[in-house]
Amino acid sequence: MKELSMTLADQMQSIRSGAMYNDLTAELIAAREAAVFLTNEYNSSFGQSPATREVILQKLLASVGERVHFEPTFRCEFGRNISIGNNFYANFDCVMLDGGGIEIGNDVLFGPRVGIYTSNHAIDAAERAAGACYAKPVKIGNRVWIGAGVHINPGVTIGDDTIIGSGSVVTKDIPAGVIAAGVSCKVIRDITESDRTGFCA
């Protein structure tokens, strides 16, 4: 467990390294509160110009590509550990616990109520009560579609061009170019040329 005297930057580095950390330090509590204020500001800016909303996201997240949009409401734990590429859209009620780091590629779609959880509490009850947590990163590739109500657990990587079906709980890595679904999420089939419809915008 890390001491209260650690700076926020030191604590974030320790969290991202996968080490056990104290979830109850004053610095982490203050960082969560700051994220709440910024997400409230972002959610209440719905209907304002994309440029105005982008400025808020740039204050909140580690990096933000072009055309990044969350429908209200969006919630995150810290924000500073989230990197998102270009052309990202999340439908309403997206939640990201980002202590361990979240990386999202380009052209990614989220259905309603998608949750990404990089953090986990200690298994031992006494350690858990004392604030012990650990975190593992989540990585989502390019051109991924995550269906409604999907939960993505710590340490998961989802490959490019993949679809995760609604209501899935993703506990293990999912490869590129597949449709996967279920509790826990499993590959159903590859995405092939026969899935092309000939649609042109």
Side-chain angles (χ1 to χ4, degrees):
M1 299 286 290
K2 301 298 178 184
E3 299 300 323
L4 284 172
S5 60
M6 289 183 67
T7 67
L8 179 59
D10 289 338
Q11 289 182 64
M12 286 295 172
Q13 184 176 357
S14 179
I15 292 168
R16 288 191 299 268
S17 77
M20 193 71 79
Y21 64 95
N22 184 352
D23 194 43
L24 303 176
T25 68
E27 294 85 357
L28 294 183
I29 290 169
R32 284 190 199 89
E33 289 174 353
V36 169
F37 285 117
L38 282 170
T39 54
N40 283 347
E41 183 181 354
Y42 179 78
N43 291 325
S44 65
S45 73
F46 186 79
Q48 296 181 26
S49 73
T52 298
R53 303 190 83 222
E54 183 180 328
V55 168
I56 302 167
L57 281 183
Q58 287 172 347
K59 291 179 193 174
L60 177 64
L61 307 183
S63 65
V64 182
E66 297 177 2
R67 295 173 300 281
V68 171
H69 177 84
F70 292 87
E71 295 286 334
T73 58
F74 165 55
R75 292 289 177 209
C76 62
E77 185 176 16
F78 301 110
R80 66 184 67 227
N81 300 317
I82 300 170
S83 297
I84 301 176
N86 299 325
N87 303 319
F88 172 82
Y89 174 85
N91 214 317
F92 58 81
D93 294 344
C94 180
V95 174
M96 296 185 182
L97 298 185
D98 59 285
I102 296 171
E103 294 180 21
I104 299 172
N106 299 318
D107 304 306
V108 174
L109 296 171
F110 283 9
R113 298 196 168 107
V114 168
I116 301 176
Y117 312 103
T118 69
S119 307
N120 207 347
H121 297 285
I123 293 172
D124 179 82
E127 291 180 349
R128 187 168 59 249
C133 289
Y134 61 93
K136 296 180 181 177
V138 167
K139 296 181 181 179
I140 298 173
N142 299 307
R143 298 171 305 278
V144 171
W145 176 16
I146 307 291
V150 170
H151 298 284
I152 301 171
N153 284 352
V156 166
T157 295
I158 297 173
D160 293 345
D161 304 316
T162 281
I163 297 170
I164 306 295
S166 297
S168 297
V169 177
V170 188
T171 59
K172 296 180 181 175
D173 292 353
I174 303 295
V178 300
I179 297 172
V183 180
S184 65
C185 190
K186 295 181 177 75
V187 173
I188 296 171
R189 68 173 178 87
D190 290 340
I191 296 171
T192 68
E193 286 295 316
S194 65
D195 292 303
R196 289 184 183 273
T197 64
F199 172 80
C200 294

